[in-house]
Amino acid sequence: MLSNTIQSLLNQQVESEAASSQYYLAMASYAETKGYNGVAEFMYRHSDEERQHMLKLVRFINERGGHAIVPALSQPPTAFEGITEMFASLLEHEISITQKINELVAATLDEKDYTTHNFLQWYVSEQIEEEALARTIMDKLNLIDNDKGGLYLFDRDVAGFTVTSANDAPAG
Ligand code: FEO
């Protein structure tokens, strides 16, 4: 059984993952309208992955006797300054998600909820991989430095970039 504190924190994380999914969907739509089809592909897939992260939490909360709450979401941005700025926002966003996961993990230790602690290890690994991928992408974009030919090649390649982590393994 989940404590009220842990249930509430897990539900906040449901909201964060749902908001991430919407955020990356907005990025996908922006990229697609600007002709960056590879970037759009990457972002559509990333958005789907965030929805899966949300669903794992929803199922876990309910399986542990809690009630997962489907949250209302605020509208994400509709425009970005450019592709580099958009990926910089993605990295910043993932760093903030890592922080939330870390706080959640700390709370499970305070509450002696070792089952939830164990479940969250998947998210800890996932965040390491997602941040690493976002940093690799930013390194490439900084090298390209808005060169049109470079961005063309980046767009072609980024469609194939995936997080190769815990994503392949079942949660919990
Ligand atoms: Fe749900 Fe981007 O990690």
Side-chain angles (χ1 to χ4, degrees), residues 19-30 43-44 46-48 76:
S20 298
S21 180
Q22 289 288 87
Y23 194 26
Y24 299 150
L25 184 57
M27 290 182 181
S29 183
Y30 168 81
M43 289 298 181
Y44 279 128
H46 207 340
S47 174
D48 280 346

Side-chain angles (χ1 to χ4, degrees), residues 1-17:
M1 194 69 187
L2 293 168
S3 71
N4 287 339
T5 305
I6 296 298
Q7 181 170 193
S8 167
L9 288 170
L10 286 170
N11 269 315
Q12 283 174 35
Q13 195 60 34
V14 166
E15 182 172 348
S16 295
E17 302 289 346

Side-chain angles (χ1 to χ4, degrees), residues 132-171:
L133 178 59
R135 287 198 172 88
T136 300
I137 289 174
M138 281 312 297
D139 287 346
K140 287 182 194 300
L141 285 168
N142 287 330
L143 272 175
I144 291 165
D145 196 20
N146 280 324
D147 171 72
K148 278 194 164 38
L151 279 173
Y152 177 85
L153 293 175
F154 172 81
D155 183 58
R156 190 192 61 185
D157 292 346
V158 76
F161 292 177
T162 47
V163 173
T164 53
S165 68
N167 241 342
D168 303 328

Side-chain angles (χ1 to χ4, degrees), residues 35-128:
Y36 290 101
N37 291 337
V39 174
E41 196 57 44
F42 176 89
M43 289 298 181
Y44 279 128
R45 194 169 58 238
H46 207 340
S47 174
D48 280 346
E49 284 167 8
E50 298 300 348
R51 181 176 155 77
Q52 291 305 318
H53 300 174
M54 177 198 69
L55 282 173
K56 281 182 206 291
L57 283 158
V58 166
R59 301 293 295 265
F60 179 78
I61 293 166
N62 291 338
E63 278 166 12
R64 298 282 317 281
H67 183 183
I69 305 301
V70 177
L73 300 172
S74 53
Q75 182 171 11
T78 55
F80 299 85
E81 276 178 52
I83 294 301
T84 302
E85 291 76 8
M86 195 173 77
F87 275 100
S89 298
L90 181 147
L91 173 57
E92 200 180 310
H93 185 74
E94 286 302 332
I95 290 169
S96 78
I97 295 291
T98 300
Q99 182 65 29
K100 288 182 206 290
I101 293 289
N102 288 343
E103 285 164 13
L104 192 40
V105 168
T108 61
L109 291 179
D110 289 345
E111 298 272 318
K112 297 187 168 51
D113 182 345
Y114 302 115
T115 307
T116 303
H117 185 268
N118 187 44
F119 167 78
L120 288 172
Q121 297 313 303
W122 184 90
Y123 288 84
V124 171
S125 305
E126 179 69 15
Q127 286 311 120
I128 292 168

